[in-house]
Amino acid sequence: IKGKAIISGNFTVDSAKALAKRLNEGALPVPISLVSQQSVEASLGQISLEKSLKAGIIGFIIVVIFMIIYYRFLGLVAAFALLIYAGLMISMFKLSAFSPWQITLTLPGIAGFVLSIGMAVDANILIFERTKEEIRRGRNISGALDEGFKRAWTSIRDGNASSIITAVILIEMGTGFIKGFAITLVVGVLLSMFTAVTITRTLLKVIIGEWIEDKLYLIGVKKDKNV
């Protein structure tokens, strides 16, 4: 019957009244009309993903250019190590498809990847600055590199450890996009630390030798004449 309703079932009078009250809450005697209609297609997400990848590549190139300009030969070696890091990260994305912890390259995942690149560069900067300080004090290039890596390691370790702890908390407490960002960040930080401390050091040990002792301008440093 129009304007009337009947509640049937195993109800008491009080429970029926409570149900009727809940049904009437928020009901307004106003008509509903269609104002606008929009549809979001899958291609929109694809466009956003492509733009994010493009932004990440541009940021990577700018970081590499900065390292080469400021640290010269050391920066060139660091740039090569970063390329190895990027290849390792892409390999991790591919290999994760065969593991229970599959990593999907989403927008938050790209953000975590780009952030980890910045942290890898930060580790290289700490190492190079320490190395340059040791050269100014009179050490030879080989000894300066060893001391630079040794002195910078504690700062690199503590900085990356704090990032990993934060990311693990996000993995445990976050959901969806937040968890994807945190997982990518953890993998990226671990790989970037390995790249900066192991790969960069190995490359420098192999490439740099006594030949650069009289060409310190290639690494942008001068020995202190008072030493």
Side-chain angles (χ1 to χ4, degrees), residues 32 79 115 124 127 133 135 143 167-169 208:
I32 299 175
L115 180 59
N124 284 322
I127 293 167
E133 286 180 6
I135 292 174
V168 169
I169 294 173
I208 290 183

Side-chain angles (χ1 to χ4, degrees), residues 140-205:
N140 59 28
I141 187 66
S142 180
L145 282 172
D146 288 337
E147 194 67 19
F149 276 92
K150 180 180 177 181
R151 289 179 176 274
W153 164 243
T154 53
S155 299
I156 296 170
R157 179 198 61 198
D158 295 344
N160 284 283
S162 61
S163 298
I164 291 172
I165 291 171
T166 304
V168 169
I169 294 173
L170 290 176
I171 292 173
E172 292 297 323
M173 304 184 65
T175 57
F177 292 150
I178 295 176
K179 183 174 290 187
F181 167 80
I183 292 173
T184 308
L185 182 60
V186 168
V187 175
V189 167
L190 290 174
L191 278 180
S192 67
M193 187 163 55
F194 169 77
T195 302
V197 175
T198 303
I199 296 180
T200 304
R201 183 172 188 173
T202 302
L203 289 173
L204 289 173
K205 282 288 187 179

Side-chain angles (χ1 to χ4, degrees), residues 49 52-53 55-56 60 82 85-86 89-90 93 103-121 160 163-164 167 170-171 176-193:
L49 183 61
S52 298
L53 285 171
F60 180 85
L82 281 177
Y85 163 74
M89 279 295 292
I90 294 172
F93 289 142
I103 302 174
T104 304
L105 193 61
T106 59
L107 298 182
I110 294 173
F113 175 46
V114 174
L115 180 59
S116 63
I117 291 176
M119 298 189 70
V121 173
N160 284 283
S163 298
I164 291 172
L170 290 176
I171 292 173
F177 292 150
I178 295 176
K179 183 174 290 187
F181 167 80
I183 292 173
T184 308
L185 182 60
V186 168
V187 175
V189 167
L190 290 174
L191 278 180
S192 67
M193 187 163 55

Side-chain angles (χ1 to χ4, degrees), residues 10-158:
N10 189 18
F11 291 98
T12 62
V13 175
D14 292 336
S15 63
K17 288 181 178 179
L19 179 59
K21 183 179 179 181
R22 294 192 188 100
L23 292 173
N24 289 325
E25 284 179 350
L28 296 175
V30 294
I32 299 175
S33 59
L34 181 64
V35 176
S36 65
Q37 181 174 343
Q38 295 178 343
S39 61
V40 179
E41 300 179 358
S43 60
L44 185 62
Q46 181 66 27
I47 292 172
S48 298
L49 183 61
E50 291 175 354
K51 288 184 177 179
S52 298
L53 285 171
K54 184 178 179 181
I57 292 171
I58 293 173
F60 180 85
I61 293 172
I62 292 174
V63 168
V64 167
I65 292 173
F66 167 78
M67 291 296 290
I68 293 174
I69 291 175
Y70 194 81
Y71 291 103
R72 303 180 189 182
F73 188 77
L74 293 178
L76 185 62
V77 175
F80 184 72
L82 281 177
L83 287 174
I84 296 176
Y85 163 74
L88 289 174
M89 279 295 292
I90 294 172
S91 299
M92 290 294 294
F93 289 142
K94 295 291 186 181
L95 293 174
S96 68
F98 305 100
S99 70
W101 302 281
Q102 183 173 356
I103 302 174
T104 304
L105 193 61
T106 59
L107 298 182
I110 294 173
F113 175 46
V114 174
L115 180 59
S116 63
I117 291 176
M119 298 189 70
V121 173
D122 179 63
N124 284 322
I125 289 173
L126 288 173
I127 293 167
F128 295 162
E129 288 297 330
R130 287 288 189 177
T131 300
K132 289 167 70 174
E133 286 180 6
E134 296 302 320
I135 292 174
R136 292 189 188 100
R137 291 174 181 175
R139 284 183 180 269
N140 59 28
I141 187 66
S142 180
L145 282 172
D146 288 337
E147 194 67 19
F149 276 92
K150 180 180 177 181
R151 289 179 176 274
W153 164 243
T154 53
S155 299
I156 296 170
R157 179 198 61 198
D158 295 344

